[in-house]
């Protein structure tokens, strides 16, 4: 029988030259060269005062390399990064076999809040020096990410107060059941489990009441109370295609030339209107007079469009009706997913609610006539009425005899027509407000509906969406593992830096140990 040499896949004693593990042209090589030769980390060095006394510290340059390399490979938790520094040859090489613990890694990321923007800007300077920022178009968009917080601990102050009362009642109920069972005979096996459950409920209720006592209600711009979260007050509930999450909306402004992220931020709100102007302000160092700003309907508001006009910033900001005005999307409904059959759940035997005809189901022929869904004629006396808000409207009425004999009356009438009333279904048509062609929002609609506007705006999704796909899918950022807007913003900016450094590496940055000249 043939004999073979033995194999050992668990040996740690290998003749490895660490410097040779950082291969030119790789992300790790570009990262190593960038941190050592381009970034100024004097502010991080100033945090240490152990030159004469105290233990030696981990070099912040090494810590930054470790974190960015880990994020580039989908390692998010500090414990997984610690393991990589002990077992992964590439991490051992880039860290010089420093092997920091998970607590040191987590503390380093938490303390980067004040320095993350300067670091992000320095990476952008290098990207610009390599000719990777074209300045023709900046596409702004956001992605909603779950945070390290429970959405069950979210609500208004009244809802949270009610939840604390329910927790106390649940604890009282468990205690009462335990006392009732003790009268019949002791059960020692259940005692520790019940006691732990009661203490957990009491602590959760006390924590909620302490939060309510120390935090005032959050309010929006209209003075309405917003839901807050006990675990992470800066986060918010957000509706996504996957359901409702508790998290943040991560923002990015992306250059169309090479998909470099020129601005990054987070907001603890599902509404992104308030982030348009701050994102434009952050991208100011790289924006020129001709740079076009594009964003979807979530960023549209009359105030935002007016600000863009006042500051002569070229932009294409979609509104909610843009697709309904575009004939290319007339048949889009047939490509949409069918509704979840379990979405409208109802009790067995309960009749389904009747979907009644709305004004949009009627066809208005002219000022005096209309056609109902059954094809019957409806008439109007021609008089125009005005609401208290200035909207003009006109009422059309069907004949009583037509409605009584109509097979669709169950979907049209809320009840049986009154006898001898002579009237059937009534429907009101509101006149659209006269549009001011000089209003900034109307001019924006005209610009985005033009052939040139459609051609430019269509480049937005191909600019920004691949960036989010790279960060979420390739870099595995499906959930934020920090709390508080400052720490979450730090983590998001680090991931955006990873994306930009990856663009540098793919462009051949530092492949020969020196920076490439700027591309014309």
């Amino acid at each position: 029988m043939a004999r073979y040499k033995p194999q050992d896949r668990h040996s740690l004693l290998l003749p490895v030259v660490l410097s040779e593990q950082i291969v030119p042209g790789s992300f790790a090589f570009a990262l190593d060269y960038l941190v050592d030769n381009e970034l100024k980390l004097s502010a991080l060095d100033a945090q240490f005062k152990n030159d004469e006394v105290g233990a030696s510290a981990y070099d912040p340059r090494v810590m930054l390399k470790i974190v960015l390399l880990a994020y580039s490979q989908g390692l998010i938790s500090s414990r997984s990064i610690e393991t990589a520094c002990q077992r992964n040859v590439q991490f051992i090489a880039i860290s010089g076999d420093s092997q920091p613990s998970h607590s040191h890694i987590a503390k380093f990321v938490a303390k980067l809040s004040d320095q993350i923007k300067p670091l992000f800007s320095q990476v952008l300077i290098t990207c610009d020096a390599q000719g990777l920022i074209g300045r023709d178009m900046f596409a702004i968009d956001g992605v909603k990410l779950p945070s390290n917080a429970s959405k069950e601990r979210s609500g208004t102050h009244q809802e949270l107060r009610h939840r604390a009362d329910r927790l106390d009642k649940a604890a009282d109920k468990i205690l009462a059941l335990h006392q009732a069972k003790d009268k019949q005979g002791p059960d020692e096996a259940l005692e520790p489990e019940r006691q732990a459950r009661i203490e957990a409920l009491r602590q959760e209720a006390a924590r909620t009441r302490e939060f309510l006592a120390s935090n005032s209600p959050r309010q929006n711009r209209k003075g309405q109370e917003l839901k807050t979260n006990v675990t992470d007050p800066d986060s918010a509930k957000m509706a996504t295609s996957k359901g409702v999450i508790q998290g943040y909306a991560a923002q990015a402004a992306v250059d169309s030339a090479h998909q470099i992220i020129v601005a990054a931020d987070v907001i603890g709100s599902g509404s992104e209107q308030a982030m348009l102007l701050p994102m434009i302000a952050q991208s100011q160092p790289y924006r020129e007079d001709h740079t076009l700003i594009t964003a979807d309907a979530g960023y549209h508001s009359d105030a935002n469009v007016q600000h863009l006009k006042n500051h002569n910033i070229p932009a294409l900001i979609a509104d909610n009706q843009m697709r309904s005005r575009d004939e290319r999307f007339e048949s889009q409904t047939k490509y949409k997913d069918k509704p979840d059959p379990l979405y409208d759940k109802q009790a067995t035997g309960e009749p389904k609610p009747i979907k009644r005809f709305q004004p949009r189901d009627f066809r208005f022929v002219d000022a005096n006539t209309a056609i109902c869904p059954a094809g019957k004629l409806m008439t109007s006396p021609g008089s125009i009425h005005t609401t208290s808000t200035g909207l003009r409207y006109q009422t059309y009425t069907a004949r009583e005899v037509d409605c009584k004999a109509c097979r669709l009356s169950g979907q049209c009438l809320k009840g049986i027509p009154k006898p001898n009333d002579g009237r059937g279904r009534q429907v009101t048509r509101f006149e659209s407000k006269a549009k001011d062609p000089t209003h900034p929002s109307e001019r924006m609609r005209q610009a985005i509906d033009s052939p040139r506007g459609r051609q430019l705006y269509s480049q937005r999704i191909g600019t920004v969406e691949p960036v989010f796909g790279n960060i979420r899918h390739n870099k595995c950022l499906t959930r934020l593992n920090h709390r508080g807007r400052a720490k979450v913003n730090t983590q998001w900016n680090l991931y955006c830096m990873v994306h930009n450094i990856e663009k540098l590496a793919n462009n051949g940055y530092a492949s020969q140990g020196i920076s490439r000249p700027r591309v014309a």
Side-chain angles (χ1 to χ4, degrees):
M1 187 174 180
R3 293 184 296 113
Y4 302 102
K5 294 184 179 297
Q7 300 177 17
D8 183 6
R9 297 186 178 183
H10 301 285
S11 176
L12 297 178
L13 302 175
L14 299 176
V16 175
V17 179
L18 295 182
S19 61
E20 295 178 357
Q21 307 309 309
I22 308 300
V23 183
S26 65
F27 175 87
F29 192 90
L31 170 65
D32 187 57
Y33 183 87
L34 177 72
V35 174
D36 287 341
N37 297 277
E38 303 282 357
L39 302 187
K40 298 179 180 179
L41 303 181
S42 55
L44 294 178
D45 291 328
Q47 297 177 0
F48 300 98
K49 298 180 180 179
N50 59 345
D51 50 342
E52 296 181 358
V53 295
S56 58
Y58 289 104
D59 190 339
R61 293 160 186 80
V62 171
M63 298 296 291
L64 184 61
K65 292 177 186 178
I66 292 173
V67 171
L68 293 177
L69 180 61
Y71 286 175
S72 71
Q73 298 185 10
L75 303 178
I76 299 177
S77 70
S78 57
R79 290 187 181 272
S80 63
I81 299 174
E82 176 189 13
T83 302
C85 291
Q86 297 171 352
R87 299 297 182 89
N88 191 302
V89 175
Q90 195 173 44
F91 281 83
I92 295 174
I94 204 167
S95 66
D97 200 17
S98 297
Q99 298 188 11
S101 66
H102 66 273
S103 59
H104 284 96
I105 296 171
K107 187 182 296 184
F108 173 78
V109 175
K111 288 186 176 182
L112 275 180
S113 301
D114 296 335
Q115 299 299 323
I116 190 63
K117 287 301 180 183
L119 290 174
F120 184 82
S121 299
Q122 291 182 60
V123 174
L124 276 181
I125 292 173
T126 304
C127 292
D128 191 27
Q130 300 297 307
L132 299 181
I133 301 179
R135 294 177 170 82
D136 291 328
M137 176 190 293
F138 290 169
I140 299 175
D141 206 349
V143 58
K144 297 175 181 177
L145 296 170
S147 63
N148 187 14
S150 172
K151 62 182 179 182
E152 283 75 18
R153 294 185 174 93
S154 182
T156 62
H157 272 227
Q158 181 179 356
E159 292 171 346
L160 292 175
R161 196 173 293 109
H162 177 64
R163 182 174 183 270
D165 294 338
R166 289 181 58 190
L167 291 171
D168 279 334
K169 289 180 180 179
D172 293 339
K173 185 177 180 180
I174 295 175
L175 185 60
L177 290 173
H178 181 59
Q179 292 173 348
K181 195 163 186 176
D182 282 346
K183 293 179 181 179
Q184 301 175 0
D187 190 349
E188 297 296 337
L190 294 177
E191 174 64 24
E193 182 180 349
R194 287 181 174 178
Q195 187 64 31
R197 179 60 177 163
I198 291 172
E199 291 178 359
L201 291 172
R202 299 287 192 201
Q203 291 176 1
E204 180 66 20
R207 180 185 177 188
T208 302
R209 291 193 175 93
E210 181 181 356
F211 173 82
L212 294 174
S214 58
N215 292 271
S216 57
R218 296 173 58 190
Q219 293 183 342
N220 59 14
R221 289 175 292 179
K222 298 180 181 180
Q224 301 170 335
E225 184 180 357
L226 297 173
K227 291 187 177 183
T228 188
N229 189 271
V230 177
T231 309
D232 186 358
D234 293 337
S235 65
K237 276 189 174 181
M238 302 178 184
T240 69
S241 59
K242 305 294 184 180
V244 178
I245 64 170
Q246 184 75 34
Y248 292 84
Q251 309 291 305
V254 183
D255 180 75
S256 61
H258 295 275
Q259 296 177 331
I260 296 294
I261 302 175
V262 295
D265 209 337
V266 296
I267 181 174
S269 171
S271 176
E272 298 173 321
Q273 290 182 358
M275 290 302 296
L276 177 65
L277 302 183
M279 293 299 291
I280 294 176
Q282 286 189 36
S283 62
Q284 176 63 33
Y286 302 96
R287 183 173 58 82
E288 296 181 352
D289 293 340
H290 70 277
T291 304
L292 179 67
I293 303 295
T294 60
D296 61 18
Y299 297 88
H300 185 279
S301 70
D302 289 343
N304 285 343
V305 176
Q306 183 68 53
H307 179 91
L308 295 173
K309 178 181 180 298
N310 294 342
H311 292 78
N312 298 319
I313 300 176
L316 289 174
I317 313 298
D319 60 277
N320 291 328
Q321 303 301 320
M322 185 198 71
R323 289 201 171 190
S324 63
R325 299 191 304 268
D326 194 338
E327 64 279 359
R328 296 175 297 177
F329 296 98
E330 288 181 356
S331 60
Q332 65 176 335
T333 54
K334 68 181 181 181
Y335 298 106
K336 290 185 177 180
D337 294 336
K338 293 182 178 180
D340 186 352
L342 298 179
Y343 179 75
D344 294 325
K345 292 181 289 186
Q346 57 187 15
T348 304
E350 182 180 336
K352 293 183 179 181
I354 299 176
K355 294 183 178 180
R356 304 190 183 277
F357 292 124
Q358 302 297 320
R360 62 176 177 269
D361 298 316
F362 294 76
R363 182 165 59 90
F364 298 97
V365 181
D366 52 39
N368 297 318
T369 58
I371 303 297
C372 74
K376 300 297 182 179
L377 182 68
M378 305 178 70
T379 59
S380 171
S383 55
I384 305 296
H385 306 278
T386 306
T387 65
S388 58
T389 59
L391 285 176
R392 292 159 55 88
Y393 67 93
Q394 189 173 353
T395 303
Y396 297 81
T397 307
R399 296 193 307 166
E400 178 185 7
V401 63
D402 290 337
C403 290
K404 283 185 175 181
C406 182
R407 58 184 175 82
L408 300 177
S409 60
Q411 294 178 256
C412 193
L413 301 175
K414 293 183 179 179
I416 301 175
K418 296 180 180 179
N420 303 322
D421 188 64
R423 297 185 304 178
R425 169 66 187 266
Q426 287 186 325
V427 65
T428 301
R429 179 180 67 168
F430 286 89
E431 294 183 3
S432 301
K433 285 186 176 180
K435 297 179 179 179
D436 182 6
T438 62
H439 192 277
S441 294
E442 180 59 28
R443 295 181 63 183
M444 180 68 73
R445 294 187 188 98
Q446 295 174 2
I448 207 168
D449 289 343
S450 66
R452 176 61 175 168
R454 290 179 178 178
Q455 187 270 331
L456 290 172
Y457 184 79
S458 64
Q459 300 176 21
R460 182 197 67 84
I461 190 170
T463 297
V464 68
E465 292 300 338
V467 174
F468 293 145
N470 179 41
I471 294 177
R472 297 192 66 184
H473 179 73
N474 298 336
K475 307 300 181 287
C476 302
L477 182 63
T478 57
R479 188 178 191 88
L480 300 162
N481 59 350
H482 290 276
R483 295 174 181 172
R485 182 178 179 181
K487 293 181 180 180
V488 169
N489 187 43
T490 299
Q491 187 175 27
W492 175 244
N493 274 264
L494 286 171
Y495 268 93
C496 293
M497 287 171 59
V498 167
H499 174 83
N500 289 346
I501 296 172
E502 190 174 52
K503 290 292 182 179
L504 284 170
N506 294 338
N507 193 52
Y509 170 77
S511 59
Q512 303 300 324
I514 57 173
S515 300
R516 293 175 59 190
R518 179 187 176 94
V519 180

